[in-house]
């Protein structure tokens, strides 16, 4: 968008304002899209369970997805990868860490036995893709189109397993909350349209402003993606998880974070790489490994105590590990 480019010429502070405005547009756009699509789905008699597992779940990943699609279209592949790795790292270490400090995070059996192990596999797969040269010639080290297709196939398996589990165990733990407001079809369509516009405009504002900010500050797009962009796209999960913890519904927090991490890697990163191969950047091995280690720590915490929860000391460890990682990353740009 030429308007955004022209505004960025006025200076760094304009870029920061545009990033904030972009995040607001992304979050509101995702909310409107979910509300409108859920209302349409209900009109067709689709159950809340199915809506929660599809429309709402996809909607919460729309900020990351749109930022990645714009990044791929603009050719800023570093931002596309770091948006996902950074979001998953923040989801695990910061969001779960803060949530556990508020109230111990309880785990469901499904999370312990399937979701968390799958999120570990997701992190290890990304690390494997970026640590060795691709045999398909599209990129040296990085995620090739074939790698993206592998991630999408695993995402389909995740969806199939999730639907099957939900059908067999309808009362087994919380699902995504489905908006229950009565909305007319006309208003629902307007919400969907407004949501799509908000997502596209917000994504454009964030990507172009982030690239401009990185250039002005003399740092890489990867660092901006790992910090500012990743934190911004993780704000919905942060708000949802902390509020859930204050109400002692911390199992919702764990489900939101782990589910978001799986969606981010298998769906968002898989789609991005299938559209355009994503080459590695300096330091990507550490970032990919941290994403995997975060899930490993969560699995270890919930498996090593009788209550099967992340206790407050576990939350403190997650936050300390993230602080150490971020300090090292910023000092070695």
């Amino acid at each position: 968008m030429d308007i955004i480019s022209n505004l960025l010429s006025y200076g760094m502070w304009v870029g920061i304002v545009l990033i904030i405005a972009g995040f607001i547009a992304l979050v509101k756009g995702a909310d409107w899209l979910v509300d409108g699509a859920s209302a349409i789905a209900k009109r067709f008699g689709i159950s809340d369970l199915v809506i929660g597992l599809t429309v709402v779940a996809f909607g919460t990943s729309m900020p990351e997805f749109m930022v990645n699609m714009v990044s791929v279209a603009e050719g800023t592949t570093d931002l596309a990868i770091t948006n996902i790795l950074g979001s998953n790292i923040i989801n695990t270490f910061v969001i779960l860490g803060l949530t556990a400090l508020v109230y111990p995070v309880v785990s469901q059996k499904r999370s312990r036995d399937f979701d968390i192990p799958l999120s570990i596999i997701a992190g290890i797969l990304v690390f494997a893709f970026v640590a060795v040269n691709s045999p398909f010639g599209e990129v040296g080290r990085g995620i090739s189109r074939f790698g993206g297709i592998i991630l999408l196939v695993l995402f389909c398996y995740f969806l199939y397993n999730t639907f099957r589990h939900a059908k067999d165990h309808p009362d087994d733990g919380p699902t995504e909350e489905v908006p229950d407001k009565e909305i007319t079809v006309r208003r629902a369509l307007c919400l969907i349209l407004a949501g799509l516009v908000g997502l596209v405009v917000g994504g454009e504002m964030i990507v172009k402003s982030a690239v401009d900010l990185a250039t002005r500050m003399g740092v890489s797009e990867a660092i901006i993606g790992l910090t500012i962009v990743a934190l911004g796209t993780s704000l919905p999960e942060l708000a949802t998880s902390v509020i859930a913890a204050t109400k002692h519904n911390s199992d919702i927090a764990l489900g939101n974070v782990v589910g978001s991490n799986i969606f981010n890697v298998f769906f968002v990163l898989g789609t991005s790489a299938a559209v355009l191969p994503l080459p590695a950047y300096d330091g990507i091995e550490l970032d990919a490994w941290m994403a995997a280690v975060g899930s490993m720590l969560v699995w270890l915490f919930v498996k090593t105590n009788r209550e099967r929860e992340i206790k407050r000391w576990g939350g403190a460890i997650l936050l300390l590990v993230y602080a150490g990682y971020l300090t090292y990353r910023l000092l070695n740009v």
Side-chain angles (χ1 to χ4, degrees):
M1 293 182 180
D2 292 336
I3 296 177
I4 297 176
S5 299
N6 291 336
L7 287 172
L8 289 172
S9 65
Y10 285 98
M12 185 173 70
W13 286 107
V14 174
I16 294 174
V17 171
L18 286 176
I19 288 178
I20 295 172
F23 285 136
I24 294 172
L26 272 183
V27 173
K28 289 305 298 179
D31 284 343
W32 289 335
L33 181 64
V34 167
D35 286 348
S38 297
I40 293 293
K42 284 186 176 184
R43 290 280 179 177
F44 284 95
I46 299 174
S47 69
D48 284 355
L49 178 63
V50 173
I51 295 172
L53 291 172
T54 54
V55 176
V56 180
F58 276 95
T60 56
S61 290
M62 277 297 104
E64 288 89 348
F65 180 78
M66 191 52 62
V67 167
N68 268 43
M69 290 300 98
V70 175
S71 297
V72 167
E74 297 284 340
T76 54
T77 54
D78 286 4
L79 202 59
I81 300 180
T82 53
N83 173 41
I84 298 305
L85 293 181
S87 291
N88 283 14
I89 291 169
I90 289 173
N91 282 350
T92 304
F93 288 99
V94 177
I95 295 179
L96 282 184
L98 288 174
T99 303
L101 286 182
V102 175
Y103 190 79
V105 177
V106 180
S107 67
Q108 298 288 334
K109 187 176 187 300
R110 154 82 182 191
S111 293
R112 296 192 301 271
D113 295 344
F114 180 77
D115 293 340
I116 298 175
L118 190 61
S119 68
I120 295 173
I121 292 172
I124 292 175
L125 263 181
V126 174
F127 177 79
F129 287 150
V130 303
V132 298
N133 288 332
S134 169
F136 301 98
E138 297 170 318
V139 290
R141 291 185 305 110
I143 306 176
S144 65
R145 282 193 173 92
F146 183 74
I149 292 171
I150 290 175
L151 294 177
L152 287 173
V153 169
L154 288 171
F155 178 67
C156 291
Y157 166 72
F158 165 71
L159 282 184
Y160 164 76
N161 190 282
T162 299
F163 274 106
R164 189 181 67 179
H165 180 84
K167 182 179 179 181
D168 294 340
H169 306 85
D171 299 321
D172 187 11
T175 60
E176 297 281 358
E177 184 180 353
V178 177
D180 57 2
K181 295 177 289 187
E182 283 292 330
I183 299 175
T184 64
V185 173
R186 178 180 296 180
R187 187 179 174 217
L189 292 174
C190 289
L191 284 172
I192 292 172
L193 179 61
L196 290 173
V197 171
L199 286 167
V200 172
V201 172
E204 283 274 355
M205 293 170 72
I206 290 170
V207 171
K208 289 190 174 182
S209 301
V211 172
D212 179 77
L213 187 61
T215 302
R216 292 178 184 275
M217 294 177 63
V219 300
S220 67
E221 293 173 15
I223 294 299
I224 297 296
L226 284 169
T227 53
I228 298 173
V229 177
L231 179 60
T233 55
S234 293
L235 287 177
E237 287 88 355
L238 176 60
T240 301
S241 298
V242 173
I243 290 172
T246 60
K247 297 178 180 179
H248 295 183
N249 293 328
S250 55
D251 52 343
I252 295 177
L254 183 60
N256 281 343
V257 165
V258 175
S260 176
N261 287 356
I262 292 172
F263 264 73
N264 284 347
V265 172
F266 290 139
F267 173 60
V268 180
L269 197 57
T271 303
S272 304
V275 173
L276 181 70
L278 306 175
Y281 57 86
D282 290 340
I284 191 172
E285 295 90 348
L286 175 61
D287 300 333
W289 186 240
M290 278 296 294
V293 166
S295 295
M296 293 177 190
L297 283 175
V298 169
W299 186 81
L300 183 66
F301 289 154
V302 300
K303 280 287 191 177
T304 53
N305 63 80
R306 186 175 301 174
E307 293 80 13
R308 298 290 188 258
E309 62 186 19
I310 305 175
K311 298 186 179 297
R312 286 187 171 89
W313 59 263
I317 289 175
L318 289 174
L319 289 171
L320 287 173
V321 171
Y322 179 75
Y325 154 76
L326 185 62
T327 300
Y328 176 83
R329 202 68 177 81
L330 292 177
L331 291 176
N332 290 273
V333 294

